[in-house]
């Protein structure tokens, strides 16, 4: 089930031309996406174990 949800999530990476910084944004648009939002938290895997 989770893998089916993840297949529909879009992540955008944008490189800013002046600073050359890369920004990443994961788009959690639906209720199903938001139900697994914690998995996208950068600290989730550190805190899980």
């Amino acid at each position: 089930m989770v893998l089916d949800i993840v297949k529909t999530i879009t992540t955008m990476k944008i490189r800013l031309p002046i600073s050359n910084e890369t920004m990443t944004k994961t788009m959690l648009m639906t209720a199903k996406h938001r139900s697994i939002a914690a998995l996208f938290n950068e600290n989730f895997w550190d805190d899980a174990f």
Side-chain angles (χ1 to χ4, degrees):
M1 174 108 170
V2 172
L3 293 177
D4 291 330
I5 297 170
V6 171
K7 290 177 186 178
T8 64
I9 293 175
T10 300
T11 299
M12 298 170 45
K13 279 189 170 185
I14 301 168
R15 186 181 57 83
L16 302 175
I18 295 174
S19 65
N20 208 29
E21 179 183 354
T22 301
M23 297 177 60
T24 303
K25 179 67 177 174
T26 301
M27 309 300 286
L28 302 173
M29 305 297 279
T30 68
K32 286 184 179 183
H33 292 160
R34 289 187 289 277
S35 72
I36 62 169
L39 298 174
F40 293 91
N41 181 329
E42 63 185 46
N43 298 319
F44 173 80
W45 297 106
D46 294 335
D47 297 340
F49 300 102

